[in-house]
């Protein structure tokens, strides 16, 4: 699941003092922190799940989870799965507006420098994302987010009404195009290709009959799988019954252009709707209390519309749906579960993201609340660092690379990750500012903008026109985030 990069003001360090941004919005950082916590839970499990379920592993499908604790664990898992990635994409749109401003900058140089910074940051995200994907420890979203940023560059200063029209079009057309591509395009990776009936030859028929069509062969396979289920946790992929036989690196699941656009777990044809929605919301002026209340109310309404429509169409109104075809399921168009990537899920997830942003901004209106939210905002200020670290940690755990004395990390992975992340991010931000990976990312993007865009007009250029209601990170605060 994913990750957002927040960006610094459009001007360089020499930007005039008169256009310095106002105080940083703690609520936006807190929302990023909430999204990252959701990613941790989605990838590593619900904290204290064994305690809440009475020792039952929630991933054990043969054991039924009962009681209030099991219900809590189940609902938390449902709440974070898929929605955390959508929230990050939504925040990516907000970050783009924080950089570009509501209206066009005063000079062509400033616009080009903004474009170069975003492009450089996007390429860095793609490189890091591919590096994590090679580890094979999780479904990495970083390189997808890099592609989202690249696709958004031409839209930075598009009129708001045009953004709205584009967002609606993507939400309506993108999911259908994605589902069609997944059914029609023969690909390897996250989705199994669908073979046309015409491609099924007599040779294929004979091979199937000699294997699955042979009762003795099928019975032997079933007996083999049954023996693996009773192997006391031994890994069936290792001859020695341990995880040591698993490869530390894998190149089988690396995404290509079609995966980024349609076939991957986070297809741009769908997720750009979240990015555009975030850009639209940021332009409304996040410092206004009225806007914050509107975000919560409208977000709840959109969530009810999206998820409620799915429930109605697949429940009480399902009898009105046409019969499924051989390769097409009409039901799949109206599902709203995690990563179904349908229009109803996009509407529902966007509503959740709006409500989360609005609530975080409202909660941060008082000084005591801002202090209480500081640890969550701190992890939201260095999501690139912490997301990368948790991917490496999972790689070490799954690859049994940790020493024997580190057994608590394997047993309580999510609990330790949450506590360490909150403490580390808080202390680091209070003492050193930008995160370990955020600071060099910012420096590289600024340097690239100066080198690529050379224009002496900055000295006489008018000040950058910016919406005073739009947040931009303070000059001395972390700028690049994942």
């Amino acid at each position: 699941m994913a990750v957002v990069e927040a960006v610094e003001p459009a001007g360089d360090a020499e930007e005039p003092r008169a256009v310095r941004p106002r105080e940083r919005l703690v609520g936006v950082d807190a929302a990023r922190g909430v999204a990252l916590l959701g990613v941790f839970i989605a990838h590593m499990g619900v904290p204290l799940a064994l305690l809440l379920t009475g020792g039952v592993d929630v991933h054990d499908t043969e054991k039924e989870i009962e009681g209030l604790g099991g219900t809590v664990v189940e609902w938390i898992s449902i709440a974070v799965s898929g929605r955390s990635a959508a929230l990050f994409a939504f925040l990516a749109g907000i970050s783009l507006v924080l950089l570009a401003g509501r209206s066009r900058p005063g000079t062509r140089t400033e616009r080009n420098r903004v474009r170069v910074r975003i492009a450089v940051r996007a390429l860095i995200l793609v490189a890091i994302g591919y590096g994590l994907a090679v580890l094979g420890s999780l479904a990495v979203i970083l390189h997808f987010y890099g592609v989202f940023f690249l696709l958004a560059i031409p839209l930075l200063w598009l009129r708001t009404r045009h953004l709205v029209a584009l967002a609606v079009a993507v939400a309506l057309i993108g999911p259908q195009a994605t589902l069609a591509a997944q059914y029609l395009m023969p690909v390897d990776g996250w989705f199994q290709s669908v073979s046309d009936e015409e491609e099924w030859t007599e040779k294929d028929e004979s091979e199937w009959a000699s294997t699955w069509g042979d009762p003795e062969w099928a019975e032997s396979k079933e007996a083999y799988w049954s023996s693996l289920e009773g192997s006391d946790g031994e890994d069936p992929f290792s001859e020695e019954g341990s995880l040591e036989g698993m490869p530390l690196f894998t190149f089988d699941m690396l995404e290509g252009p079609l995966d980024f656009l349609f076939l991957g777990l986070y297809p741009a044809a769908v997720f750009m709707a979240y990015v555009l929605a975030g850009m639209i919301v940021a332009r409304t002026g996040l410092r206004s209390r009225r806007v914050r209340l509107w975000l919560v109310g409208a977000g709840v309404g959109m969530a009810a519309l999206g998820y409620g429509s799915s429930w109605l169409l697949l429940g009480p109104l399902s009898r009105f749906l046409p019969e499924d075809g051989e390769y097409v399921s009409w039901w799949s168009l109206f599902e709203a579960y995690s990563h179904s990537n349908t229009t109803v899920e996009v509407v529902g997830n966007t509503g959740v993201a709006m409500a989360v942003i609005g609530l975080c901004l409202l909660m941060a209106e008082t000084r005591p609340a801002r202090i209480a939210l500081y640890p969550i905002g701190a992890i939201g200020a260095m999501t690139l660092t912490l997301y990368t670290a948790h991917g490496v940690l999972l790689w070490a755990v799954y690859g049994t690379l940790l020493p024997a004395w580190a057994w608590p990390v394997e047993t309580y992975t999510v609990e330790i990750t949450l506590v360490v992340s909150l403490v580390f991010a808080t202390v680091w931000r209070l003492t050193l500012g930008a995160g370990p990976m955020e600071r060099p990312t910012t420096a590289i993007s600024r340097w690239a903008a100066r080198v690529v865009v050379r224009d002496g007009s900055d000295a006489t250029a008018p000040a950058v026109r910016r919406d005073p209601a739009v947040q931009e990170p303070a000059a001395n605060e972390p700028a690049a985030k994942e």
Side-chain angles (χ1 to χ4, degrees), residues 22 25 282 284-288 466-471:
R22 296 164 63 180
L25 286 173
T284 63
L286 299 178
R287 295 187 182 277
S288 168
R466 301 195 181 278
D467 182 355
V470 175
Q471 177 215 11

Side-chain angles (χ1 to χ4, degrees), residues 45-95:
V46 178
L48 305 177
L50 293 178
L51 178 63
L52 292 172
T53 60
V56 177
D57 185 357
V58 295
H59 301 292
D60 190 346
T61 57
E62 296 183 357
K63 295 184 179 180
E64 183 177 356
I65 302 175
E66 300 177 351
L68 178 60
T71 302
V72 171
V73 171
E74 181 180 3
W75 277 99
I76 292 177
S77 299
I78 294 174
V80 301
S81 181
R83 295 175 181 85
S84 298
L87 177 56
F88 266 128
F90 188 89
L91 288 162
I94 292 179
S95 297

Side-chain angles (χ1 to χ4, degrees), residues 218-265:
E219 184 178 352
S220 65
K221 282 296 180 183
E222 291 177 359
Y224 170 71
W225 288 327
S226 298
S227 66
L228 294 179
E229 293 177 359
S231 60
D232 297 327
E234 293 184 355
D235 185 6
F237 299 103
S238 171
E239 296 180 357
E240 299 178 1
S242 70
L243 290 173
E244 294 179 358
M246 298 183 67
L248 293 179
F249 305 100
T250 177
F251 299 91
D252 296 336
M253 302 299 291
L254 296 185
E255 292 83 357
L258 287 178
D259 297 299
F260 286 126
L261 295 177
F262 299 108
L263 306 176
L265 194 61

Side-chain angles (χ1 to χ4, degrees), residues 104-439:
R104 288 181 178 272
T107 69
R108 179 179 299 179
T109 298
E110 290 168 340
R111 295 196 299 272
N112 289 336
R113 284 186 174 174
V114 168
R115 295 184 181 107
V116 171
R117 288 181 184 179
I118 293 176
V120 170
R121 293 168 183 270
L123 294 176
I124 292 175
L125 287 179
V126 170
I128 298 175
Y130 269 124
L132 285 178
V134 169
L135 302 183
S137 59
L138 71 161
V140 182
I141 196 173
L142 278 181
H143 42 329
F144 284 88
Y145 272 85
V147 173
F148 301 160
F149 272 88
L150 291 175
L151 292 175
I153 290 177
L155 313 176
L156 291 176
W157 296 286
L158 199 66
R159 292 181 181 275
T160 302
R161 63 175 178 270
H162 296 157
L163 280 180
V164 173
L166 186 58
V168 172
V170 173
L172 292 176
I173 300 174
Q176 279 58 252
T178 298
L179 291 175
Q182 293 168 6
Y183 276 109
L184 299 177
M185 294 183 183
V187 295
D188 297 324
W190 290 108
F191 299 96
Q192 178 68 35
S193 61
V194 178
S195 300
D196 294 333
E197 186 175 0
E198 298 177 356
E199 297 178 357
W200 187 262
T201 63
E202 294 182 0
K203 180 180 179 181
D204 297 324
E205 185 71 28
S206 61
E207 289 179 354
W208 185 90
S210 64
T211 53
W212 287 102
D214 183 355
E216 295 183 0
W217 185 91
E219 184 178 352
S220 65
K221 282 296 180 183
E222 291 177 359
Y224 170 71
W225 288 327
S226 298
S227 66
L228 294 179
E229 293 177 359
S231 60
D232 297 327
E234 293 184 355
D235 185 6
F237 299 103
S238 171
E239 296 180 357
E240 299 178 1
S242 70
L243 290 173
E244 294 179 358
M246 298 183 67
L248 293 179
F249 305 100
T250 177
F251 299 91
D252 296 336
M253 302 299 291
L254 296 185
E255 292 83 357
L258 287 178
D259 297 299
F260 286 126
L261 295 177
F262 299 108
L263 306 176
L265 194 61
Y266 316 99
V270 175
F271 272 70
M272 283 303 295
Y274 301 127
V275 176
L276 292 168
M279 295 175 68
I280 295 166
V281 166
R283 290 186 180 187
T284 63
L286 299 178
R287 295 187 182 277
S288 168
R289 181 175 176 82
R290 182 178 180 179
V291 169
R292 296 171 180 181
L293 292 171
W294 173 83
L295 283 174
V296 175
V300 171
M302 287 186 63
L305 175 63
Y307 304 137
S309 298
S310 175
W311 177 80
L312 285 173
L313 290 169
L314 300 182
L317 302 181
S318 60
R319 63 180 181 274
F320 297 108
L321 293 178
E323 295 293 332
D324 290 343
E326 185 175 2
Y327 298 119
V328 177
S329 172
W330 294 103
W331 289 58
S332 62
L333 298 175
F334 307 109
E335 293 170 339
Y337 61 81
S338 171
H339 297 296
S340 56
N341 290 330
T342 60
T343 295
V344 289
E345 191 205 11
V346 169
V347 173
N349 288 353
T350 301
V352 171
M354 291 170 59
V356 170
I357 295 292
L359 286 173
C360 288
L361 290 169
L362 288 171
M363 291 173 60
E365 289 184 345
T366 62
R367 182 174 178 80
R370 287 196 297 271
I371 295 175
L373 288 174
Y374 191 88
I376 298 180
I379 68 172
M382 56 180 69
T383 48
L384 176 59
T385 295
L386 296 177
Y387 183 93
T388 303
H390 105 283
V392 175
L393 174 63
L394 288 177
W395 173 67
V397 170
Y398 295 155
T400 64
L401 301 179
L402 297 177
W405 55 265
W407 65 266
V409 177
E410 298 184 12
T411 306
Y412 305 102
T413 306
V414 62
E415 291 85 356
I416 292 176
T417 300
L418 292 177
V419 173
V420 172
S421 296
L422 289 168
V423 174
F424 170 81
T426 301
V427 174
W428 185 285
R429 192 178 184 194
L430 285 172
T431 57
L432 299 175
M437 297 184 69
E438 285 73 15
R439 190 183 299 275

Side-chain angles (χ1 to χ4, degrees), residues 3-7 92 95 118 121-122 125 149 441 479-482:
V3 182
V4 165
E5 181 188 63
V7 283
S95 297
I118 293 176
R121 293 168 183 270
L125 287 179
F149 272 88
T441 300
K481 316 180 182 123
E482 197 282 306

